[in-house]
Every structure is written in C-alpha cells, then in structure tokens.
C-alpha cells in the first residue's frame, strides 16, 4: 500500500479511536467505529488492497451486528456486559490504528489477522449463539 494511503488510514483510525475513548454514549462510540470501514472503502477506491478489503468487511459486519443486537426487544436476556464490550471494541480499534501507525507492516500480515480475529470474536459474542457461548465461558473478553 502506498505510504500516503497508509498514513491516511493511521490518522483517521487514530482520530476515531480517540473519539470512541472520549464518548460516554454507546451510539457515539459505534458511530466513530464506522470510520474503520468507511475509510477503508475510500482508500480501496484509490488502491486495491486485499487486506484492506478484509478490514472493510469485518468492521462493517461488526457495526451491523452491534446495531442489530441493540434493536432486539428482549436485549435484557443476553448476558452482555456492554461496558466491557465497548471497552474491548475500542481497544481492538486502537490496536488496528497502531498497526497502521507502524511504518510498514506488509510483511506482518499475521499481526493484522490476529487483530481482526479478535474484533470478530468480540462481535460474535453479542450474537445469539455468541451470547450463549459467552455465558458458558467459551468466549472470554
């Protein structure tokens, strides 16, 4: 990925994380998290990058999953600790921003895959089956 595009991602992702950390309301945290897939999509228009497409897909799915879960009328039956969820989501977002802040990581895709896997796990924990697994202790934050 071109250096200027990588820097753009680093800057935008860090700004979003800072806003997530400072926002006390869950909807605002989620709004700022949307920067991760929104900015990925913009950069993909300038330069195709398979890894960035993966970031786009996973972060957009997380956003959709959180929105859907928050709309469930029986939300109280889900054993979700929302404060911990948003703390872990923010930490995962911060880790992804830090990944792009490093000078070059094209040779360290394993790190990015681990970061995305952790974000996917966090999002899965708030799905129906994920909540069940979280309650059983199979998924731990």
């Amino acid at each position: 990925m071109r250096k200027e595009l990588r820097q753009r991602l680093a800057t935008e992702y860090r700004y979003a994380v800072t806003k997530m950390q400072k926002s006390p309301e869950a909807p605002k945290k989620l709004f700022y998290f949307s920067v991760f897939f929104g900015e990925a999509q913009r950069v993909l228009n300038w330069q195709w990058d398979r890894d960035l497409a993966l970031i786009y897909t996973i972060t957009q799915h997380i956003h959709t999953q959180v929105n859907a879960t928050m709309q469930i009328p029986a939300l109280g039956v889900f054993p979700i600790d929302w404060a911990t969820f948003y703390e872990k989501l923010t930490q995962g977002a911060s880790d992804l921003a830090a990944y792009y802040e490093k000078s070059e990581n094209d040779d360290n895709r394993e790190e990015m895959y681990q970061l995305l896997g952790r974000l996917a796990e966090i999002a899965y924990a708030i799905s129906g089956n994920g909540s069940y697994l979280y309650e059983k202790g199979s998924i731990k934050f």
Side-chain angles (χ1 to χ4, degrees):
M1 176 181 298
R2 294 192 320 249
K3 186 176 181 176
E4 69 273 10
L5 296 178
R6 182 179 197 81
Q7 182 58 48
R8 179 186 171 113
L9 287 169
T11 301
E12 293 300 321
Y13 286 177
R14 182 54 58 198
Y15 177 81
V17 167
T18 300
K19 297 301 269 185
M20 288 174 74
Q21 291 167 333
K22 291 181 179 180
S23 297
E25 304 98 19
K28 278 199 168 190
K29 288 181 184 294
L30 192 58
F31 168 76
Y32 289 114
F33 183 76
S34 72
V35 167
F36 282 83
F37 63 88
E39 197 58 33
Q41 186 172 40
R42 283 185 279 283
V43 170
L44 285 170
N45 286 334
W46 295 313
Q47 180 182 350
W48 174 253
D49 183 272
R50 183 181 295 168
D51 294 337
L52 193 54
L54 183 60
I55 290 171
Y56 166 82
T57 301
I58 290 174
T59 56
Q60 185 183 46
H61 173 75
I62 292 168
H63 189 272
T64 301
Q65 180 68 44
V66 174
N67 267 329
T69 302
M70 292 178 78
Q71 302 303 316
I72 297 172
L75 186 59
V77 302
F78 284 75
I80 299 166
D81 176 352
W82 284 100
T84 301
F85 168 80
Y86 277 108
E87 175 188 315
K88 297 301 181 184
L89 183 65
T90 302
Q91 182 59 55
S94 181
D95 293 345
L96 194 54
Y99 175 83
Y100 276 97
E101 288 167 342
K102 294 176 187 174
S103 61
E104 289 296 325
N105 283 313
D106 290 336
D107 293 333
N108 195 5
R109 287 191 171 102
E110 182 61 32
E111 178 186 0
M112 186 198 51
Y113 296 155
Q114 290 296 321
L115 295 172
L116 291 176
R118 182 65 180 141
L119 283 169
E121 181 179 51
I122 291 165
Y124 191 78
I126 65 166
S127 69
N129 190 61
S131 291
Y132 172 75
L133 294 174
Y134 177 74
E135 183 178 37
K136 280 181 52 176
S138 299
I139 297 175
K140 296 178 182 11
F141 281 149

